[in-house]
Amino acid sequence: MTISETGHQAESVGTAVDTDLIDMMDAVFAAQRTGHGAPATVGHDAELWSRLDDLGLVRLTGPTEHGGSGAGWAEAAELISAAVRHGVRAPLAEHDLLACWLLEAAGLPCDETLRTVCMLDAAGTATGVPWARAADRIVVVFGDVDGGTEFRLADIDAARFTITPATNMIGEPRDNIATDIGALHADSRTIDKALVDRLRWKSALVRSIQICAALDSALDLTIEHTSSRVQFGRSLSKFQAIQHMVADIAAEAALARAATEAAVNVAITSDWTADNLSFLVAVARSCAGHAASVVVRNAHQAHGAIGTTVEHRLHEFTRAALAWRSEYGSVTYWDQAVTRAAVAAGAAGLWPLIAD
């Protein structure tokens, strides 16, 4: 699967994304960006959402018998990557890949109503919930039962929550919510820990895919700038120091992409049941998080002052990568997850863990 390249067929083990579909996705988001420009504030664009729904992109991975398009994660990765490339913010992943998927996996109906998803603590609160203020319903997981092996799931009208607006560093809604958790039990059902684990892995991989798309876009802008900008009679790309910066950006972006593609491919081909999937997700998030540091630093150094201006697009990708790497687990959290898995594997099991 190719997560970020436009106009090429995206390949993965056992799956391929149609080129025409990729081109259509890019055209939709390109038209949105051309017609509306960069939004001053990030909010839910109902007109765009309706257009995406008409094209079958809002429930891209939903089963056809429930009104979805019947696509898979490979296509969804291309969709959310295209949105990143064009600087369009929409709750596509939160609605389709997370909230609606979770409901259907638990045997609950999921209509076209806009949803997001989160886990509530024992007090009935959650922080940094993506797009909560825009959602009509919020899918919540709460209250582990029986020693942490079971949880409860409910699909709740957003009006039943107290929603305190907040944003991440690129202005996307990351709201704080609260409710009476005791009142949710009557509307909930029990789900097992395996389903919750899948939700965690899917959420983490969504952000990893988005980070990779942002890093690749920052690389493209840096190559374009250093190739066209002339100093002292030659382009910036002819200076060895700049070449090293760009090479490091390319290497880190490629590492993050390779780790993310490996995790997504195993997830797809194993139907999210592979024994090493949690390790691969942790590696993907760790690599993407550390890559963001190098790419952001080098890209802004290579661009100089122009890269810090509001008018230049570089910040759309660098700030986004930094924001997303802290969601659904910090870099430190995923570093520690990789370390724990490596220690648990031991000397005999470490190489098979990495190689498989």
Side-chain angles (χ1 to χ4, degrees):
M1 176 186 60
T2 301
I3 289 175
S4 62
E5 296 178 6
T6 306
H8 299 283
Q9 185 163 338
E11 300 284 353
S12 65
V13 179
T15 187
V17 181
D18 184 78
T19 305
D20 291 338
L21 177 61
I22 299 173
D23 291 342
M24 182 270 281
M25 293 172 179
D26 263 301
V28 170
F29 291 121
Q32 174 71 15
R33 181 57 185 259
T34 300
H36 298 272
T41 58
V42 178
H44 180 59
D45 188 329
E47 181 182 349
L48 171 64
W49 194 254
S50 177
R51 191 180 313 123
L52 295 173
D53 193 20
D54 290 341
L55 292 169
L57 299 177
V58 165
R59 286 292 345 262
L60 182 62
T61 66
T64 55
E65 61 269 26
H66 295 162
S69 297
W73 257 74
E75 291 82 1
E78 293 292 343
L79 177 65
I80 60 181
S81 296
V84 172
R85 287 194 296 271
H86 295 285
V88 176
R89 316 296 186 199
L92 289 163
E94 290 82 359
H95 173 75
D96 180 32
L97 293 178
L98 303 181
C100 290
W101 159 78
L102 183 59
L103 287 179
E104 290 170 344
L108 293 171
C110 183
D111 56 26
E112 61 186 16
T113 302
L114 175 57
R115 287 173 168 84
T116 189
V117 62
C118 69
M119 296 189 67
L120 298 176
D121 61 20
T125 66
T127 60
V129 181
W131 302 92
R133 79 190 77 159
D136 298 302
R137 302 186 70 83
I138 301 177
V139 179
V140 294
V141 177
F142 63 95
D144 65 322
V145 180
D146 190 23
T149 61
E150 293 183 337
F151 296 79
R152 301 196 71 82
L153 169 71
D155 180 25
I156 305 298
D157 190 320
R160 292 175 59 181
F161 295 86
T162 299
I163 300 177
T164 304
T167 64
N168 61 12
M169 67 185 296
I170 55 173
E172 291 178 311
R174 296 295 185 263
D175 305 317
N176 302 324
I177 70 171
T179 191
D180 178 4
I181 199 167
L184 300 182
H185 280 266
D187 301 309
S188 67
R189 67 169 54 187
T190 299
I191 58 173
D192 61 27
K193 185 176 181 296
L195 196 58
V196 179
D197 286 339
R198 289 190 189 183
L199 174 63
R200 291 191 176 107
W201 299 336
K202 287 172 181 271
S203 302
L205 277 181
V206 161
R207 292 295 182 257
S208 194
I209 291 167
Q210 291 176 305
I211 293 168
C212 288
L215 299 185
D216 286 340
S217 296
L219 171 62
D220 291 341
L221 286 178
T222 304
I223 292 173
E224 178 184 357
H225 176 77
T226 56
S227 299
S228 60
R229 181 76 172 180
V230 175
Q231 291 285 348
F232 306 108
R234 52 179 175 165
S235 67
L236 291 177
S237 61
K238 300 298 183 182
F239 291 89
Q240 189 174 58
I242 297 296
Q243 292 172 353
H244 288 169
M245 286 183 189
V246 177
D248 285 345
I249 293 174
E252 291 292 336
L255 175 61
R257 192 185 326 113
T260 300
E261 289 177 353
V264 173
N265 285 340
V266 169
I268 292 172
T269 55
S270 72
D271 194 24
W272 300 86
T273 61
D275 292 339
N276 64 337
L277 185 56
S278 61
F279 173 73
L280 293 176
V281 171
V283 170
R285 283 299 305 266
S286 176
C287 289
H290 288 288
S293 296
V294 176
V295 173
V296 170
R297 181 190 65 229
N298 286 13
H300 278 284
Q301 285 182 338
H303 277 79
I306 194 173
T308 65
T309 62
V310 173
E311 293 79 10
H312 200 281
R313 292 198 63 190
L314 180 63
H315 69 90
E316 293 183 27
F317 307 115
T318 55
R319 293 193 304 124
L322 294 177
W324 293 330
R325 74 173 182 174
S326 299
E327 296 180 353
Y328 298 126
S330 66
V331 179
T332 298
Y333 173 87
W334 292 110
D335 285 350
Q336 291 174 344
V338 172
T339 302
R340 287 195 298 270
V343 171
L350 182 57
W351 177 247
L353 180 67
I354 296 171
D356 293 345

